[in-house]
Amino acid sequence: MSLVLAAVGAAVAALIQSSILPFTAAGGAGLDLVLVLAVVWTMTVGLDGGLVWAFLGGLIIDVLLMRPLGLTAFVLLLAVGAAWIVGRMTPRAFYPVVVITTAVTAGIASILTVVLFGVLRGLPAGVDPLAQAVPTGMFAGVAAALIAPIPVIIRRRRFGDETERVDW
């Protein structure tokens, strides 16, 4: 059921990202909603659903925004992999770690997207890949701070505290 929810959520998030969010971009950087949701899902629920969010959401974004097919999915899969590695280093879904990881991966993903797009299609003159990294990371951090408590609380209530305790 969670993979179906991830697939439907990725499709809806990709539609919102490609239709509404470009009009809310401030300072040349916009919110990458699919990346935020994929990273939060990966760190709180699990890797399988995060991969579905990243791959399906990335392909839909590429089709709707007429990008090279697979570019966004590739970048999102790398971000989900990095988030999973960070998530494996922490014993449970710790809220500040989720928010900081989302902000950092969003900044790096924006740089990587611009560089790969430039390699595949050529960048117009005056485009700086580093200019969007900090605002994009900040937008993603704020979005993750608003979104992450929901799956963190649900997971803690459903599975309890998973840390091992010594039986006395």
Side-chain angles (χ1 to χ4, degrees):
M1 180 65 184
S2 66
L3 293 180
V4 173
L5 180 64
V8 171
V12 170
L15 287 172
I16 291 171
Q17 181 176 336
S18 60
S19 62
I20 297 171
L21 290 181
F23 299 109
T24 63
L31 175 64
D32 194 351
L33 184 63
V34 175
L35 179 126
V36 170
L37 292 171
V39 169
V40 167
W41 187 283
T42 299
M43 294 190 74
T44 57
V45 178
L47 178 64
D48 297 341
L51 291 174
V52 170
W53 276 97
F55 186 70
L56 187 62
L59 286 179
I60 292 172
I61 289 171
D62 287 339
V63 168
L64 292 176
L65 296 181
M66 301 174 96
R67 294 181 182 170
L69 189 62
L71 173 70
T72 306
F74 176 68
V75 172
L76 291 177
L77 287 172
L78 291 177
V80 164
W84 181 73
I85 291 170
V86 171
R88 297 290 292 173
M89 290 182 204
T90 58
R92 60 187 177 138
F94 192 54
Y95 177 70
V97 175
V98 173
V99 173
I100 292 169
T101 303
T102 304
V104 170
T105 55
I108 294 171
S110 71
I111 295 171
L112 189 59
T113 301
V114 171
V115 168
L116 289 176
F117 189 81
V119 167
L120 293 174
R121 292 217 177 145
L123 285 178
V127 174
D128 182 21
L130 299 176
Q132 296 178 353
V134 174
T136 301
M138 290 174 59
F139 284 144
V142 169
L146 296 174
I147 294 170
I150 298 167
V152 168
I153 290 170
I154 290 172
R155 180 164 189 222
R156 285 189 186 161
R157 288 191 183 258
R158 186 172 180 191
F159 298 113
D161 193 12
E162 294 179 0
T163 58
E164 293 184 21
R165 295 188 179 155
V166 177
D167 292 328
W168 297 97

